[in-house]
């Protein structure tokens, strides 16, 4: 391995270690046929899905903004962001309101399952994938009975998207 590649490998290892999942409580949610988990400490609330006000020129997965008790909150449809096969809106579709990169953001998911208290030995690192595979936001995989749960760093997944949106008023 040459010095440049070794340096970028070390940088990636440091970044993934910083975002590595830890034992604790995770809110689980579904996108298509897959189940994901986010650190419960990032979650502010779970809301029914409402029609947001569209932002002209925003990517299709940014559905718009809603006024949440005086705070303008961008709404990102994770199903569109992650290119799920379907993004149907039904009574189970919800918005998880999160604190992401020091901002409040809502993410649309198919449904919320439950809150799991994961032990450290239930969480494994994600498989090494080629650089640029797009799955850098998956920080770990947890086995819960016969279920596989992908643990997600939403700061990583939404960081660039949120950084391009106007600041909340």
């Amino acid at each position: 391995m040459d010095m440049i590649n070794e340096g970028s490998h070390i940088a990636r290892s440091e970044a993934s270690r910083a975002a590595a999942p830890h034992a604790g409580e995770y809110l689980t949610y579904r996108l298509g046929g897959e189940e994901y988990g986010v650190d419960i400490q990032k979650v502010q609330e779970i809301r029914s899905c409402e029609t947001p006000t569209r932002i002209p020129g925003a990517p299709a997965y940014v559905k718009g903004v809603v006024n949440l008790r005086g705070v303008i909150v961008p709404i990102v449809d994770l199903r569109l962001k992650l290119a799920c096969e379907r993004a149907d809106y039904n009574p189970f579709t919800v918005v998880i309101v999160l604190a992401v990169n020091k901002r409040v953001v809502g993410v649309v998911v198919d449904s919320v399952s439950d809150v799991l208290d994961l032990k450290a030995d239930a969480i494994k690192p994600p498989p090494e994938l080629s650089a640029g595979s797009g799955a850098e936001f998956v920080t770990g995989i947890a086995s819960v009975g016969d279920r596989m749960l992908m643990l997600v760093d939403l700061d990583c997944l939404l960081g660039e998207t949120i950084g391009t949106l106007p600041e909340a008023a």
Side-chain angles (χ1 to χ4, degrees), residues 145-167:
D146 61 347
R147 296 160 45 194
M148 296 290 284
L149 180 67
M150 287 179 272
L151 303 180
V152 176
D153 177 0
L154 287 173
D155 288 326
C156 176
L157 176 61
L158 297 175
E160 189 175 295
T161 299
I162 299 308
T164 62
L165 296 175
E167 284 291 326

Side-chain angles (χ1 to χ4, degrees), residues 13-156:
S13 295
E14 291 297 322
S16 65
R17 201 174 5 258
H22 50 82
E25 292 185 321
Y26 288 82
L27 176 70
T28 63
Y29 58 92
R30 297 194 75 80
L31 297 174
E34 302 299 326
E35 194 169 14
Y36 296 82
V38 62
D39 186 335
I40 194 74
Q41 294 178 358
K42 295 263 183 205
V43 178
Q44 293 189 353
E45 66 182 277
I46 300 166
R47 301 177 52 84
S48 60
C49 200
E50 60 186 84
T51 304
T53 301
R54 188 92 177 108
I55 300 173
Y61 57 82
V62 177
K63 302 312 289 178
V65 294
V66 296
N67 185 333
L68 182 59
R69 292 181 295 282
V71 176
I72 303 303
V73 178
I75 304 297
V76 175
D77 193 325
L78 283 186
R79 302 164 309 172
L80 298 176
K81 172 87 172 148
L82 297 176
C84 291
E85 286 182 26
R86 299 175 62 145
D88 296 330
Y89 291 83
N90 61 46
F92 297 106
T93 306
V94 295
V95 174
I96 304 171
V97 179
L98 305 153
V100 176
N101 291 331
K102 300 178 183 161
R103 302 263 318 259
V104 177
V105 63
V107 293
V108 179
V109 299
D110 287 327
S111 63
V112 170
S113 304
D114 49 18
V115 175
L116 296 176
D117 189 5
L118 298 177
K119 306 296 181 216
D121 61 352
I123 303 170
K124 305 294 183 225
E128 282 279 330
L129 300 173
S130 63
S133 65
E136 297 85 8
F137 59 88
V138 177
T139 59
I141 299 177
S143 296
V144 182
D146 61 347
R147 296 160 45 194
M148 296 290 284
L149 180 67
M150 287 179 272
L151 303 180
V152 176
D153 177 0
L154 287 173
D155 288 326
C156 176

